[in-house]
Amino acid sequence: MENPLHPLGHQVLSAALEANGTGSASLSRMSRRGFILAAGSLAGCAVAQPLGMTNPNAESVRTQANTAYRTPVIPGQSTPVAPVTPPPATGTSPSSGITFSRVQCPGKYIAMTYDDGPHSQHTPRLLEMLKARNIKATFYLVGTAVNLYPGIVRRTVAEGHEIGNHSQTHRLLSKLSDDEVRKELTGCQDAIIRAANVKPRTMRPPYGGLTQRQREWVHAEYGYPTILWSVDPLDWKHPGAAVIGQRILAGASAGGIVLSHDIHGQTVDCMPATLDALIAQGYQFVTVSQLLAMKTAAPAKS
Ligand code: NI
């Protein structure tokens, strides 16, 4: 498929390399996202290979069906599959909090979340892995990527996963004016509605950056609770699939929200073994809205 970002690829890649050369722990907000997209567009180009941004062995990771696991039936919800036009998430009124990095819930439930996609190759691979295990997850999508791959968004929704708003261009929202934040959130929301006819229920700010004041007005205007995470494997630093999996397993807990990125080959590579280990430990997988709903339905004593 022709990638409209291809003409920009080398230019963005150069900017990203300069940013990386400063020794910063993270690429700048523009260049990290641009770098990811550029690396994707340069997948067939030798320049991208030594940087580890693409994984030539990605296709060697096979998905084994794990038919023993069953998608959990959530109390008060007739179906585990997200409805096409979802109601606002419950349990997120101002009085019960509008920011969540984990919840207290009555069982060993966990929410897998995947940010920054969709990716043309890694997201479909991940969807196969999830389908083979009857696992439903939540994808925090970037509007520009939604516009590039609307078919993958439709597939993600059709397979029962939840979609969240991760802004239009992945900027650090805490540094933006309210009007700029509105443009970011509305742009992404509109892209998701155009692509798959669903409205996101929650949002995750890029880099976790959203002030309390912003969280409050975003919740009031969009109905989005701000979703952070309880486990961050730092997969975007490419520590290797085994390390990513170890970090997720080490951080997993009941009511937890696992952050990772399905735009990185290593992250997707680690998923079959990581998901199977979580299943073996008795975890049940729910979407973020399901997790929040369980908090309200049956709050556990902490
Ligand atoms: Ni992100």
Side-chain angles (χ1 to χ4, degrees):
M1 176 187 295
E2 173 143 345
N3 185 333
L5 289 178
H6 191 265
L8 298 172
H10 286 90
Q11 185 183 349
V12 177
L13 187 62
S14 299
L17 287 169
E18 284 172 21
N20 203 27
T22 64
S24 166
S26 62
L27 297 174
S28 73
R29 66 182 191 272
M30 182 287 294
S31 61
R32 187 178 151 211
R33 176 68 199 162
F35 188 29
I36 290 158
L37 288 170
S41 72
L42 293 171
C45 171
V47 173
Q49 294 299 328
L51 301 172
M53 296 302 288
T54 59
N55 182 354
N57 297 320
E59 297 306 323
S60 67
V61 176
R62 297 284 177 205
T63 296
Q64 293 276 325
N66 186 340
T67 54
Y69 179 76
R70 291 283 180 272
T71 301
V73 176
I74 308 305
Q77 298 185 27
S78 58
T79 168
V81 177
V84 171
T85 306
T90 55
T92 55
S93 66
S95 61
S96 62
I98 57 170
T99 303
F100 298 92
S101 55
R102 57 172 304 111
V103 304
Q104 293 288 333
C105 65
K108 207 167 179 180
Y109 295 101
I110 196 165
M112 303 298 295
T113 67
Y114 301 97
D115 286 16
D116 296 359
H119 184 281
S120 61
Q121 295 166 358
H122 299 316
T123 303
R125 279 203 303 137
L126 175 61
L127 289 173
E128 287 299 317
M129 296 167 181
L130 295 172
K131 187 196 293 180
R133 291 164 178 77
N134 301 313
I135 290 171
K136 307 304 180 197
T138 304
F139 290 78
Y140 285 97
L141 303 182
V142 174
T144 49
V146 170
N147 289 335
L148 282 176
Y149 307 114
I152 298 176
V153 181
R154 281 191 290 278
R155 175 182 169 184
T156 304
V157 170
E159 295 183 0
H161 304 292
E162 182 174 326
I163 304 298
N165 189 327
H166 198 44
S167 83
Q168 180 67 8
T169 65
H170 208 268
R171 298 173 73 188
L172 181 59
L173 303 182
S174 57
K175 300 292 187 188
L176 302 186
S177 71
D178 290 352
D179 277 348
E180 287 174 311
V181 171
R182 269 186 203 97
K183 197 173 167 189
E184 285 287 323
L185 293 181
T186 299
C188 180
Q189 178 170 280
D190 288 351
I192 290 168
I193 291 172
R194 273 198 308 274
N197 195 31
V198 294
K199 181 178 173 294
R201 298 182 182 198
T202 68
M203 70 89 66
R204 172 174 284 155
Y207 318 101
L210 201 65
T211 68
Q212 181 63 26
R213 185 191 65 81
Q214 289 175 315
R215 291 174 192 184
E216 288 170 6
W217 76 252
V218 164
H219 182 261
E221 283 193 22
Y222 292 86
Y224 296 152
T226 296
I227 305 301
L228 302 175
W229 53 85
S230 62
V231 184
D232 180 3
L234 300 176
D235 57 330
W236 57 271
K237 292 186 178 181
H238 300 98
V243 171
I244 296 168
Q246 286 161 11
R247 288 173 177 170
I248 291 173
L249 293 175
S253 63
I257 299 172
V258 179
L259 165 70
S260 66
H261 301 80
D262 60 321
I263 54 170
H264 299 309
Q266 292 181 353
T267 303
V268 178
D269 290 349
C270 89
M271 281 300 147
T274 304
L275 296 171
D276 287 343
L278 290 169
I279 291 170
Q281 292 175 19
Y283 283 101
Q284 300 208 79
F285 299 90
V286 292
T287 69
V288 164
S289 288
Q290 288 174 330
L291 195 68
L292 298 185
M294 277 191 290
K295 173 185 183 293
T296 301
K301 288 264 183 189
S302 59

